[in-house]
Amino acid sequence: MPKKLVLGNWKMHGGIQANGDRLKRLVAGFTTREAHCDVGVCVPHLYLAQAQEMLKATSVRWGVQDISTHEEGAYTGEVSARMASEFGVAYALAGHSERRTYHGETDEMVAAKVARCLDVGIVPVLCVGETLDERERGETRQVVERQLTAILKMRPTDDARRFVVAYEPVWAIGTGRSASAKQAQDVHAFLRQVLDSWSSSLSSVAILYGGSVKASNADELFAMPDIDGGLIGGASLDANEFLGIIEATQPHTVSQS
Ligand code: 13P
């Protein structure tokens, strides 16, 4: 079975001092757990050099939360995938719901970001997920399938190791209300089916769950057969809590209800 993957998304939090403390604690705590999962933190661009310096000799990887749709040019304020790759970035989130909602990112833009990542060897983490209204209207599958296949159509990839999907129901992000393990598993199994029918080489793409994951609910979520790890927002800012989530990827902590 492939290793689970736990990624932190710090969003727009942190500062040099706080990041340093958090990363020091994470590295110290992760040393004994590294065999069980891959771990990374997606930091604000400004702190990439700090993350690289502090993590380069460790098993913790680092990533970004967004990159430009463009390769280079007169795009004030943007950061390209090539620039991120110069700082050893392993992962880049693409199409996080906060980008789709607050920055009007369309599937076309997200596909371009995925393409830019693949071009430079950064693993894109494609975020998909329905709003509460869409779930209540029974449209969850339709929405996530549209978001996923729109990207696959525009930028096909057949290397499962170079592409990650994150299911993040919008109603579960930052609300303290995680999807239940069963709700998440249902959508993950569906996404797995979509990936597999798209290309059998994509059947082993890692599908992460994100949305109010904490140390206390992670083991139940990670015990599900199609949940390959987590994309963690708020709880990734607290090193102990994040380490607790990492700990939950260990097979012996799994308690299935
Ligand atoms: P929370 O874990 O804070 O709900 O955020 C999830 C998320 O958006 C990760 O990308």
Side-chain angles (χ1 to χ4, degrees):
M1 216 167 69
K3 276 190 192 178
K4 288 218 178 334
L5 171 63
V6 177
L7 291 180
N9 173 8
W10 288 2
K11 307 195 179 183
M12 200 173 72
H13 293 288
I16 290 174
Q17 179 72 45
N19 303 344
D21 292 347
R22 188 182 302 135
L23 290 176
K24 249 188 242 156
R25 285 192 209 180
L26 174 59
V27 167
F30 183 55
T31 315
T32 55
R33 300 165 169 87
E34 62 190 72
H36 299 283
C37 66
D38 291 320
V39 168
V41 286
C42 294
V43 305
H45 293 119
L46 281 173
Y47 300 123
L48 274 180
Q50 184 186 20
Q52 182 180 35
E53 186 52 35
M54 291 192 67
L55 299 176
K56 66 184 178 200
T58 77
S59 314
V60 178
R61 326 248 326 256
W62 56 98
V64 287
Q65 301 163 17
D66 184 41
I67 49 130
S68 175
T69 56
H70 303 284
E71 283 175 41
E72 175 161 8
Y75 302 104
T76 301
E78 301 223 359
V79 172
S80 74
R82 184 190 56 76
M83 292 170 182
S85 74
E86 286 197 318
F87 289 87
V89 160
Y91 302 99
L93 308 186
H96 190 282
S97 66
E98 287 152 15
R99 302 287 318 170
R100 293 182 195 257
T101 304
Y102 306 136
H103 301 272
E105 285 191 8
T106 60
D107 286 335
E108 285 72 22
M109 292 162 77
V110 177
K113 290 175 187 222
V114 167
R116 297 292 83 76
C117 289
L118 293 172
D119 290 345
V120 300
I122 292 175
V123 175
V125 180
L126 170 65
C127 303
V128 300
E130 81 288 3
T131 62
L132 188 57
D133 279 355
E134 289 164 338
R135 172 163 282 266
E136 284 171 351
R137 287 199 301 267
E139 294 170 4
T140 299
R141 288 182 173 210
Q142 226 173 301
V143 170
V144 297
E145 180 173 21
R146 192 198 66 231
Q147 291 172 329
L148 174 58
T149 55
I151 305 320
L152 294 174
K153 269 184 214 152
M154 286 182 267
R155 178 58 201 236
T157 174
D158 56 6
D159 187 345
R161 290 159 309 164
R162 297 197 49 217
F163 185 63
V164 170
V165 173
Y167 169 55
E168 297 207 308
V170 178
W171 49 271
I173 295 178
T175 58
R177 177 187 167 194
S178 166
S180 69
K182 180 176 175 335
Q183 282 174 321
Q185 166 59 25
D186 283 352
V187 179
H188 280 233
F190 175 70
L191 288 167
R192 177 91 59 218
Q193 203 182 304
V194 173
L195 284 162
D196 191 39
S197 62
W198 192 266
S199 160
S200 58
S201 63
L202 292 183
S203 58
S204 60
V205 161
I207 308 176
L208 311 183
Y209 169 76
S212 297
V213 179
K214 302 181 277 287
S216 57
N217 60 10
D219 55 354
E220 208 191 335
L221 287 159
F222 294 165
M224 294 293 125
D226 291 300
I227 299 184
D228 302 313
L231 179 54
I232 320 299
S236 72
L237 298 170
D238 177 330
N240 284 338
E241 189 71 21
F242 194 49
L243 285 165
I245 293 169
I246 292 167
E247 184 81 27
T249 63
Q250 296 200 39
H252 73 261
T253 64
V254 166
S255 63
Q256 209 149 8
S257 51

